[in-house]
Amino acid sequence: MRIATWNVNSITARLPRLLAWLESSGTDVLCIQEIKCAESAFPYEPLRELGYEAAVNATGRWNGVGVLSRVGLADVSPGLPGGPDYDGEQEPRAIAATCGAVRVQSVYVPNGREIGHPHYDYKLRWLEALRTSAAADAAGGRPFAVLGDFNVAPADEDVWDPAFFEGLTHVTTKERDALAALRELGLSDVVPRPLKYDHPFTYWDYRELCFPKNRGMRIDLVYGNEPFAKAVGDAYVDREERKGKGASDHAPVVVDLDV
């Protein structure tokens, strides 16, 4: 089974590329983030024509997540149980589903904006709620993974220049401690191999030629429980999909499972 995660940065803007990539990549299950459209406007039919069912949690603003599957879609659970509100609402940042023999949870962790901002505290509370909600599936006997845009680089080597990020979010001790607490559930960081250069960055800002200069970050992560991690045959960042006109600023992370 081939499973992937991809922050598409607007499914409306990226739909032709998404459909072409699904057709060429052989992906069975895709977790997507930053859909930026309402569920009523989601392109279910073009995906269905390719053989994919879709489960979506989206409101049409700046968030939105989903799971696309051509191997079955069951026990769908939208939202983050016990998750915090921001500005009086619980944002659509998580959805879980069972796809064949594997349980996945697609997440779009809050950005945090800047240290000391209310959104930064919200991010930490959200990650704590994610840890609580993932505990039962993480401890289960079936393959399970939390996949998505975590907006945290787990270590200094996961950013192009640690000095550049000093004093900024995505690299703070509190954020990294929250990821470590999530891994303490028995989840392993499935680190993909890069297709170019020496580190598997997954995100490159649109500005200042960050992509051609490889000024990237590894913030799109796959955290799998023991049955999932043991089944991993390969994992890689599809850096080619970040190239060209109309690309997302994130590349897909692809994992092949022997299940």
Side-chain angles (χ1 to χ4, degrees):
M1 181 184 294
R2 174 162 286 181
I3 296 178
T5 181
W6 190 7
N7 179 323
V8 294
N9 189 14
S10 172
I11 196 165
T12 302
R14 235 60 65 189
L15 184 60
R17 292 187 69 129
L18 171 64
L19 294 174
W21 185 82
L22 285 171
E23 199 162 19
S24 65
S25 67
T27 299
D28 297 302
V29 179
L30 175 62
C31 294
I32 54 175
Q33 303 86 38
E34 210 171 348
I35 291 172
K36 293 184 178 178
C37 79
E39 289 184 42
S40 59
F42 189 82
Y44 291 100
E45 188 55 35
L47 290 163
R48 192 176 294 116
E49 290 175 1
L50 284 183
Y52 291 88
E53 299 176 84
V56 176
N57 182 19
T59 58
R61 299 177 68 182
W62 298 106
N63 307 308
V65 290
V67 177
L68 314 180
S69 174
R70 63 179 186 181
V71 292
L73 194 61
D75 300 326
V76 175
S77 178
L80 183 66
D85 289 353
Y86 191 75
D87 282 345
E89 64 174 326
Q90 187 169 124
E91 297 176 319
R93 293 183 173 273
I95 189 168
T98 300
C99 305
V102 178
R103 179 79 172 167
V104 296
Q105 187 172 23
S106 177
V107 299
Y108 180 37
V109 176
N111 178 281
R113 298 182 186 172
E114 61 186 44
I115 299 168
H117 193 283
H119 209 261
Y120 179 77
D121 294 331
Y122 165 59
K123 180 178 191 175
L124 297 176
R125 288 185 286 117
W126 200 94
L127 284 165
E128 183 179 354
L130 176 62
R131 183 185 189 278
T132 300
S133 73
D137 281 323
R142 67 180 167 183
F144 165 73
V146 185
L147 311 90
D149 179 358
F150 281 74
N151 273 314
V152 184
D156 280 353
E157 58 263 30
D158 295 313
V159 298
W160 68 273
D161 181 4
F164 177 86
F165 292 91
E166 189 172 345
L168 303 179
T169 60
H170 291 56
V171 299
T172 66
T173 299
K174 287 184 178 180
E175 291 168 291
R176 288 175 171 173
D177 285 349
L179 284 190
L182 184 61
R183 293 193 299 270
E184 286 171 2
L185 294 176
L187 299 177
S188 298
D189 184 355
V190 180
V191 180
R193 58 184 174 88
L195 296 186
K196 187 177 181 180
Y197 300 112
D198 60 355
H199 202 80
F201 296 143
T202 65
Y203 164 83
W204 301 259
D205 199 303
Y206 287 128
R207 299 168 294 182
E208 300 179 353
L209 299 175
C210 282
F211 181 64
K213 293 178 180 179
N214 200 38
R215 294 179 175 176
M217 307 174 71
R218 186 174 77 93
I219 57 176
D220 301 87
L221 309 174
V222 178
Y223 279 6
N225 68 354
E226 185 176 1
F228 186 99
K230 284 184 174 180
V232 173
D234 190 16
Y236 63 93
V237 179
D238 191 351
R239 191 179 185 278
E240 294 298 306
E241 195 53 41
R242 177 59 176 83
K243 293 181 178 180
K245 186 177 180 180
S248 171
D249 45 3
H250 295 251
V253 178
V254 181
V255 179
D256 288 334
L257 295 181
D258 298 324
V259 295

